[in-house]
Amino acid sequence: DGGITQSPKYLFRKEGQNVTLSCEQNLNHDAMYWYRQDPGQGLRLIYYSQIVNDFQKGDIAEGYSVSREKKESFPLTVTSAQKNPTAFYLCASNGQNSPLHFGNGTRLTVT
Amino acid sequence: EDQVTQSPEALRLQEGESSSLNCSYTVSGLRGLFWYRQDPGKGPEFLFTLYSAGEEKEKERLKATLTKKESFLHITAPKPEDSATYLCAVRTISGSARQLTFGSGTQLTVLP
């Protein structure tokens, strides 16, 4: 079955440590996205990529970094510069003129 | 700035009690309105896309409608398994071709 796989499902880190969230898709989609979801707020776009080796900042990119070396993969690094990293992170992808497909998220807790 | 507002924030219904969720938007130019369902601890699941005022889409107990200012998600005779958070999102001409602006969602609970 085609889909988006995010790993791990839960992640715990100490403050000051960088952490990388994995996102892999086998839908052959060109575009991939990272969103952050906090209670009571809409999904907010962190970064997106419309083609391999290219990506753009979203609305809340500060403290995050990404890479897009392969079409299937779009890992997100949460750096120590992110002031409030505890959140639910969602990866998504889509093809031309198609709705977003989402993974099942990674819940990151930083203490 | 594009804005999407969903109401109510939370809704509790008895099984079989029909109701509607609202998504109002203020955008520079609508290129599509999307409804998603999200279960706790999961990613959103796509339900519908609407493109123009007057358009309607149906799926089982759900029907989505669109006007120039808002969209409604009507739930007819809901069942407990319809309990979830329903998200609305818009794609506009001011954003990237594939970017969406999301509302904060309506948390629906259907009691047996």
Side-chain angles (χ1 to χ4, degrees):
Chain A
D1 284 341
I4 300 175
T5 301
Q6 290 188 243
S7 61
K9 187 173 178 62
Y10 299 98
L11 192 53
F12 298 88
R13 280 293 183 271
K14 294 289 187 184
E15 196 173 314
Q17 293 180 334
N18 292 354
V19 60
T20 297
L21 283 59
S22 171
C23 177
E24 302 278 334
Q25 56 102 354
N26 60 3
L27 299 167
N28 199 33
H29 286 163
D30 289 320
M32 297 187 74
Y33 309 78
W34 275 104
Y35 287 89
R36 171 181 172 139
Q37 188 173 34
D38 295 284
Q41 297 193 41
L43 275 67
R44 293 182 289 167
L45 184 64
I46 304 172
Y47 267 98
Y48 65 101
S49 168
Q50 299 196 58
I51 195 170
V52 174
N53 292 323
D54 188 46
F55 47 83
Q56 287 78 40
K57 294 181 179 180
D59 299 321
I60 55 165
E62 184 175 351
Y64 300 98
S65 66
V66 293
S67 62
R68 187 86 186 277
E69 297 177 359
K70 299 187 300 181
K71 186 175 184 177
E72 302 79 17
S73 179
F74 192 41
L76 173 74
T77 296
V78 184
T79 76
S80 57
Q82 168 50 232
K83 295 178 181 176
N84 296 296
T86 294
F88 189 50
Y89 290 89
L90 286 161
C91 179
S93 71
N94 68 346
Q96 192 74 25
N97 297 323
S98 70
L100 287 180
H101 294 261
F102 286 88
N104 276 328
T106 292
R107 187 166 299 280
L108 173 64
T109 303
V110 177
T111 58
Chain B
E1 183 180 334
D2 299 333
Q3 286 194 334
V4 179
T5 303
Q6 291 190 247
S7 62
E9 291 184 8
L11 180 64
R12 291 166 67 92
L13 300 173
Q14 290 295 135
E15 184 172 1
E17 180 186 1
S18 301
S19 187
S20 296
L21 313 182
N22 178 264
C23 172
S24 63
Y25 57 89
T26 306
V27 299
S28 52
L30 186 69
R31 286 294 179 265
L33 186 140
F34 303 80
W35 282 100
Y36 286 84
R37 169 193 170 124
Q38 186 175 23
D39 292 304
K42 299 285 184 69
E45 175 187 344
F46 171 72
L47 293 173
F48 305 109
T49 307
L50 302 166
Y51 289 104
S52 57
E55 189 174 358
E56 298 183 352
K57 293 274 180 74
E58 284 189 68
K59 180 180 180 180
E60 296 181 357
R61 295 176 292 281
L62 301 176
K63 183 168 81 172
T65 62
L66 182 65
T67 73
K68 289 185 178 180
K69 297 282 189 185
E70 59 193 346
S71 176
F72 291 94
L73 185 65
H74 306 278
I75 303 177
T76 302
K79 298 181 178 181
E81 53 261 43
D82 294 322
S83 297
T85 296
Y86 291 85
L87 302 174
C88 163
V90 297
R91 178 178 292 153
T92 69
I93 60 172
S94 60
S96 160
R98 298 181 185 179
Q99 283 189 54
L100 300 183
T101 300
F102 282 84
S104 56
T106 293
Q107 185 175 4
L108 174 67
T109 303
V110 182
L111 303 171

